[in-house]
Amino acid sequence: MNDSSCWPVSSEKLLAETQQLTDSGVWCLDTRSQMLYWSDSTYALFERELDKAPTLDDAINYYSKSDRLKISKAIENAIDDNEAWSVEAEIITESGRKKFIRTCGRPFKLDNGAYLLFGSIQDISQSHSNLLTLKQRTKSLNAILDNLVDGVITINEKGIIQGFSKPAERIFGYQADEVVGLNVKHLMPQPYRREHDQYLTNYQATGKRKIIGIGREVTALRKNGEEFPIDLAVSETKTELGTRFIGTVRDITQQKEAAKRIEFLSHHDELTGLPNRARLLEQTEVLLRSTAVTVACLNIDYFRRINSVLGEDIGDQVILSVAERVKSAVGKYAMVAKDLADRFIIACACPPCVKEDIIQSIESLVVTIREPIVVDTCINPIHITVSAGIASLSKGTNAKDALVNAESALERAKRQGRNRSCVYQDTMLANLQYDYKIETGLHEELQRLKFGQNVGFECWLQSKVNRNFEVCGAEALIRWRYQGQLIRPDEFIPLAERLGLIIDIGFWMLTKVAGLISATNLPIAINVSPKQFLEPDFPEKIIRVMRESDAPFENLIIEITENLLLHDHTQVLSVMNELNQVGIQFSIDDFGTGYSNLRRLQLLPVSELKIDKEFTQNAFHSERDRNLLDSIILMAKQMRVEIVAEGVETALQAAYLKDSGVDLQQGYYFAKPISSELWARS
Ligand code: C2E
Ligand code: CA
Ligand code: CA
C-alpha cells in the first residue's frame, strides 16, 4: 500500500472488511507482558465477548487438547528462530463449536529485546471439511479397488505405471512401489512387450483401438516369470495431470483351466480319463466311412454290489483296474471308451479277414479279466466277471447302430446268465424290441389291475387224468390277450419275473384259482414263481384268498420248480410247512430237469412230482431216453409221492406211463389247456 490517505475508506475499515471477507481475524502478542490483543473479528471467530480480553493461556485453551502443544511450540520456535510460522489446528469456540483454523504469525523484535508476535487467524473449516471428504473418498475408493477381484492399474500416456491396486499386487506378484514408475511393458511377455509402445503411439495418433474400450483376453507376465491369461479392459480418462489409461485386470487362469476341464470331460470319462461314449461314437463314425468295424460293449457283472458292499472308492479302483486290463488287452489298434458307471466300449477297424480273430480276442478278454483284482485298501482280492456283447458292422453303417447292436448282444449275454460274451445276431434287436413291447404292456395291465379295471389276463385249465384216464383235477395256466394276440406264458412270465411284476400277476391267478376250486370242488394246481413264493407275506395271502373264496385248502396244489430249492432252503421249508399245515399240497414241477438232490427233496412236504414233458416225449425216440424216463419214475417212486407225467401226446405214451406206475397224466392226448369257463362247462 502506498499512502493510505488516498484510499476512500480508513485502513481500519479496510482491515475489518478484509477480515470479514476471508473469515479471519488478527491478533498480537506482547511476549513480555503476555498481553494478547485480538481484533473484533478474532473475538467473533472464538465467539468471545468483546469486553473480555484474553490471556495467552485463554487463547491456547481454545485449541483442542491434542493441538495445544503444537500451538505453544510454534510460538516458542517462532521467537527462537525469529521466523514466520503457520499452523492448522482445531479450536472449540466459546459456544462449544468446533472450527478448523489456520493461524500464522511472525515475531517482531522490539528495541527492548522483547518480542511482539502478530499474526492472523482464519476459519478454514469449510475447505478443511472438503479436504477431509476428498481424503475419505480417496480412501474408500482405494478400499473398493483393494477389495475387488480385479486388479486396477493406471498408466500415463507414456505407459508409465501410476497406480497399482492391491489385487493387482496379488495377481502379478509385485508390490505397488516395485512397479509404479516402471513401464507397463514389464507386466507383459514378448511379443506383446515389443508391440506395446507402438500400440500406444498408434492409438494416440489414430484413435484406433485394439484393447482400449474393448475387453479382451491377453497374456500377462508375473514377477516370477510365469505367463498367464488375463481379461483386460482398458478405459481412457483425461485428468489435470494428463491422459490416464485405467486397466482392469482379471486373472482367468482358473477359469481357463475349468473350461479346459469341461471341454475334456465332455469327451472323456472323469475317473479313467478314457474317451466317453460320445467321443467313441464320433471316432467310430469316421472309421465306418472307410472300413468295417467291430464294436463290443463290456459290462462288469453286479458292479453295484461292489460299490455298496465295499464302498465307492474301492469300486473306483476296480473300474480303473478293468480299464487297464481292457486297454492292454486290445492294444493300440482299438479304441476303448468308458460308458456309464461300469460299462466299457471297444471299437476297432475290422476288415473281414480279421473279424473272427477280433471277436475271439474279445471273447477271451471276458475270460482273462476275471483274474482277481488286488486293491491296496481292501484285504481280500476282488473277484469280478464281465459280460460282453459284440457286433460287427460293415463299412458305411451308422455308428449308433453299431453300438445299439452291441448293446443288444450284451443284453442277451446278461440274460443268459452273465460272465459270457454274445455275438450280435439280427434277431436280437427285434427280440429286444418285442420284449420292450411286452414289458410296456405288462405295466399297463398291472395299472388296470390296480384300479380294478378289466385286464387281458385269462386263467386257462388243463385237465389231469387218473389211472383210469378220468379227469380228476387240472393245472391252471395263465394266458394273456394283448393287442388282439393271445400271448403264451413262456413269452411274458420270465419278463414279469425279471421285472418283479410276477407278484401281482400271480396274485391275480391265485384269486381266479381259489374261485374255481370253490366252484368245482376239484384239486387245481397253480404255478408259483420263486420270486412270488419268497415274498414275505406269501403264506398269509394264499390263506386269506382261499378263505375269502371259501375254497378247501386240500384242493390247492402249488407247483414249484427245483429252482426254488436253490434259494434259502430254511425259508422255503418254513413257508411250505406253514401252508402244508392248513392242508395245501405241493408239487415239484419239471422234475428231472433240475439239480436238486433227492434227500433234500424228501425233507419237504411234497405230495406230487411232475415228470417233465421232455422225458415223457423223448422216451419213445431211443432206448437210452426210455431208460432215463424209467429211472426218473423209479426215483419218484422212492419218494413215495404221487407221480404225474406231463406232455402226454399219444396213446402209446399214455399206455406206457400207466403201465410204469405213473398215477396221473396230463397232456394234449387227453386235453389241451382251455379257458376256465369252457373247462367248467365240459
Ligand atoms: P409248465 O408249468 O411246465 O406248464 C406246462 C406247459 O406244458 C404248459 O405250457 C402247457 O400248455 C404245456 N403242455 C401241456 N400239455 C402239453 C403237451 O401235451 N404237449 C406240449 N408240447 N405241451 C404241453 P404253457 O401254458 O405255455 O405254460 C408254460 C409255462 O409257463 C408253464 O410251464 C409254467 O412254468 C409257466 N406258467 C403258466 N402259467 C403260469 C402262472 O400262472 N404262473 C407262473 N408263475 N407260471 C406260469
Ligand atoms: Ca406247471
Ligand atoms: Ca412242467
Side-chain angles (χ1 to χ4, degrees):
M1 259 181 260
N2 303 340
D3 184 359
S4 60
S5 59
C6 55
W7 284 79
V9 286
S10 70
S11 25
E12 285 77 22
K13 177 77 179 152
L14 202 57
L15 186 63
E17 284 298 325
T18 314
Q19 288 183 69
Q20 205 181 9
L21 208 61
T22 57
D23 269 337
S24 54
V26 290
W27 53 265
C28 179
L29 175 71
D30 182 342
T31 54
R32 201 174 43 175
S33 65
Q34 292 285 300
M35 288 293 286
L36 187 60
Y37 301 96
W38 282 0
S39 69
D40 290 357
S41 311
T42 307
Y43 277 98
L45 203 144
F46 284 95
E47 296 176 338
R48 192 178 169 96
E49 285 168 29
L50 281 172
D51 54 356
K52 284 169 83 179
T55 63
L56 181 59
D57 283 344
D58 286 343
I60 285 179
N61 279 337
Y62 280 115
Y63 287 85
S64 50
K65 277 194 182 119
S66 55
D67 283 343
R68 283 179 198 160
L69 193 65
K70 188 158 76 176
I71 289 292
S72 317
K73 273 263 179 274
I75 297 171
E76 263 173 44
N77 288 348
I79 297 168
D80 289 350
D81 305 340
N82 194 13
E83 263 182 7
W85 51 270
S86 167
V87 165
E88 286 177 6
E90 190 184 61
I91 58 161
I92 296 152
T93 66
E94 199 62 39
S95 73
R97 271 207 298 158
K98 279 186 180 167
K99 285 184 180 173
F100 208 78
I101 55 91
R102 179 186 296 126
T103 178
C104 23
R106 177 197 282 281
F108 186 78
K109 204 169 180 189
L110 298 172
D111 293 341
N112 57 12
Y115 278 94
L116 203 59
L117 231 57
F118 60 90
S120 71
I121 180 164
Q122 184 182 14
D123 182 354
I124 56 165
S125 300
Q126 191 55 46
S127 58
H128 180 73
S129 103
N130 289 349
L131 192 68
L132 265 186
T133 324
L134 190 67
K135 267 190 189 158
Q136 247 152 15
R137 269 207 210 134
T138 314
K139 207 171 144 193
S140 47
L141 190 65
N142 280 337
I144 292 169
L145 290 182
D146 289 348
N147 283 297
L148 286 178
V149 178
D150 298 346
V152 176
I153 302 169
T154 331
I155 60 170
N156 65 13
E157 57 262 82
K158 292 205 174 82
I160 304 301
I161 299 173
Q162 309 290 306
F164 203 72
S165 73
K166 280 261 172 327
E169 291 183 336
R170 269 198 305 274
I171 293 172
F172 286 89
Y174 285 108
Q175 294 296 307
D177 51 16
E178 288 177 284
V179 284
V180 168
L182 287 183
N183 193 297
V184 73
K185 285 190 295 191
H186 277 85
L187 306 177
M188 302 172 188
Q190 295 294 15
Y192 310 98
R193 184 178 286 204
R194 217 174 301 128
E195 291 163 4
H196 189 256
D197 282 340
Q198 187 61 39
Y199 172 63
L200 262 189
T201 325
N202 253 359
Y203 169 68
Q204 278 159 4
T206 63
K208 254 205 194 152
R209 314 163 145 195
K210 204 155 135 205
I211 292 183
I212 290 162
I214 317 166
R216 69 178 342 236
E217 193 186 312
V218 296
T219 308
L221 185 69
R222 279 192 240 278
K223 183 178 178 184
N224 64 12
E226 185 192 347
E227 291 185 17
F228 65 107
I230 55 167
D231 243 354
L232 174 67
V234 183
S235 57
E236 182 186 356
T237 171
K238 304 267 183 230
T239 70
E240 309 93 82
L241 303 168
T243 305
R244 290 287 181 269
F245 298 103
I246 302 164
T248 316
V249 173
R250 175 170 295 189
D251 183 348
I252 52 168
T253 311
Q254 282 181 353
Q255 209 172 311
K256 296 273 282 187
E257 272 164 12
K260 251 202 233 156
R261 182 124 190 91
I262 289 166
E263 161 69 14
F264 178 81
L265 287 181
S266 67
H267 291 111
H268 292 82
D269 169 62
E270 188 168 14
L271 176 63
T272 58
L274 286 172
N276 63 11
R277 184 190 177 94
R279 169 51 63 91
L280 181 117
L281 269 175
E282 276 168 27
Q283 293 180 342
T284 309
E285 196 75 62
V286 175
L287 215 55
L288 273 165
R289 278 183 217 144
S290 56
T291 173
V293 168
T294 290
V295 175
C297 277
L298 222 77
N299 190 77
I300 305 177
D301 296 328
Y302 304 110
F303 178 71
R304 227 176 309 154
R305 217 161 41 180
I306 297 181
N307 258 353
S308 22
V309 175
L310 303 174
E312 284 185 10
D313 288 346
I314 291 183
D316 285 353
Q317 295 301 315
V318 170
I319 296 270
L320 285 169
S321 301
V322 173
E324 272 315 308
R325 287 178 187 186
V326 176
K327 267 196 299 188
S328 64
V330 302
K332 55 178 183 249
Y333 301 105
M335 283 178 273
V336 179
K338 165 87 187 331
D339 197 5
L340 305 172
D342 51 355
R343 192 170 281 195
F344 294 86
I345 313 170
I346 303 167
C348 67
C350 180
C353 56
V354 294
K355 184 173 144 188
E356 285 312 313
D357 296 344
I358 288 180
I359 291 180
Q360 228 171 44
S361 46
I362 295 171
E363 282 171 342
S364 51
L365 169 64
V366 169
V367 177
T368 53
I369 223 162
R370 289 190 301 221
E371 279 293 300
I373 294 172
V374 180
V375 172
D376 288 347
T377 46
C378 188
I379 311 164
N380 299 312
I382 297 162
H383 298 270
I384 55 148
T385 59
V386 297
S387 305
I390 308 166
S392 296
L393 280 115
S394 46
K395 180 177 151 183
T397 330
N398 173 308
K400 269 197 188 128
D401 290 346
L403 210 55
V404 167
N405 289 357
E407 277 165 348
S408 307
L410 171 63
E411 202 52 38
R412 166 54 67 93
K414 283 192 187 169
R415 285 187 187 188
Q416 286 177 346
R418 302 174 201 241
N419 185 21
R420 68 193 62 220
S421 56
C422 202
V423 179
Y424 176 78
Q425 273 144 20
D426 284 338
T427 49
M428 282 180 186
L429 185 59
N431 287 347
L432 270 184
Q433 284 164 342
Y434 181 73
D435 279 1
Y436 183 72
K437 184 181 120 180
I438 296 286
E439 189 181 319
T440 315
L442 283 177
H443 277 292
E444 287 165 7
E445 214 65 89
L446 289 181
Q447 212 48 27
R448 279 194 277 276
L449 202 61
K450 200 163 130 191
F451 294 108
Q453 295 164 346
N454 276 343
V455 288
F457 299 125
E458 294 177 8
C459 174
W460 285 31
L461 292 176
Q462 185 181 30
S463 300
K464 274 154 104 176
V465 299
N466 61 17
R467 295 176 64 84
N468 299 323
F469 297 164
E470 297 155 349
V471 174
C472 60
E475 176 180 5
L477 295 160
I478 194 169
R479 295 290 180 270
W480 180 28
R481 212 171 284 280
Y482 179 60
Q483 295 186 342
Q485 275 179 299
L486 193 66
I487 301 176
R488 292 176 57 99
D490 285 338
E491 288 182 46
F492 69 89
I493 292 287
L495 202 65
E497 278 173 349
R498 246 203 333 272
L499 301 171
L501 307 176
I502 191 68
I503 293 158
D504 291 335
I505 297 176
F507 186 68
W508 180 87
M509 267 302 261
L510 179 68
T511 34
K512 291 288 160 193
V513 169
L516 285 166
I517 291 175
S518 164
T520 62
N521 208 22
L522 280 172
I524 299 181
I526 186 170
N527 294 284
V528 170
S529 304
K531 258 224 175 103
Q532 191 188 350
F533 189 96
L534 296 169
E535 273 290 283
D537 58 352
F538 177 68
E540 290 106 85
K541 263 189 180 165
I542 296 247
I543 292 171
R544 178 163 48 81
V545 171
M546 290 297 280
R547 287 214 170 108
E548 278 168 7
S549 298
D550 215 6
F553 288 116
E554 307 72 50
N555 279 348
L556 179 67
I557 304 168
I558 293 179
E559 290 191 11
I560 54 172
T561 60
E562 290 170 90
N563 280 347
L564 174 66
L565 309 176
L566 300 175
H567 293 85
D568 182 351
H569 196 263
T570 331
Q571 188 193 350
V572 173
L573 186 63
S574 109
V575 172
M576 285 176 84
N577 280 334
E578 186 178 348
L579 291 171
N580 192 236
Q581 261 153 26
V582 297
I584 290 170
Q585 312 285 308
F586 283 96
S587 171
I588 305 289
D589 202 359
D590 303 340
F591 181 65
T593 58
Y595 306 100
S596 51
N597 79 34
L598 273 192
R599 274 176 34 74
R600 259 196 171 182
L601 279 186
Q602 268 166 337
L603 297 175
L604 302 173
V606 168
S607 58
E608 183 184 282
L609 290 184
K610 287 184 89 170
I611 298 171
D612 189 63
K613 56 176 175 282
E614 292 251 332
F615 299 108
T616 314
Q617 291 168 355
N618 290 347
F620 298 90
H621 295 155
S622 72
E623 185 69 25
R624 230 180 111 245
D625 287 334
R626 176 95 48 102
N627 289 338
L628 193 59
L629 174 65
D630 291 344
S631 48
I632 288 177
I633 295 175
L634 198 70
M635 272 199 298
K637 279 184 180 161
Q638 282 172 0
M639 299 231 343
R640 297 178 201 289
V641 291
E642 282 212 292
I643 306 169
V644 187
E646 63 176 1
V648 184
E649 288 184 351
T650 65
L652 194 69
Q653 291 167 349
Y656 184 83
L657 291 162
K658 182 183 170 180
D659 291 347
S660 306
V662 168
D663 305 294
L664 303 168
Q665 294 191 37
Q666 184 185 341
Y668 294 170
Y669 174 65
F670 301 105
K672 287 199 166 181
I674 49 173
S675 77
S676 53
E677 290 84 6
L678 261 182
W679 190 85
R681 261 184 263 144
S682 64

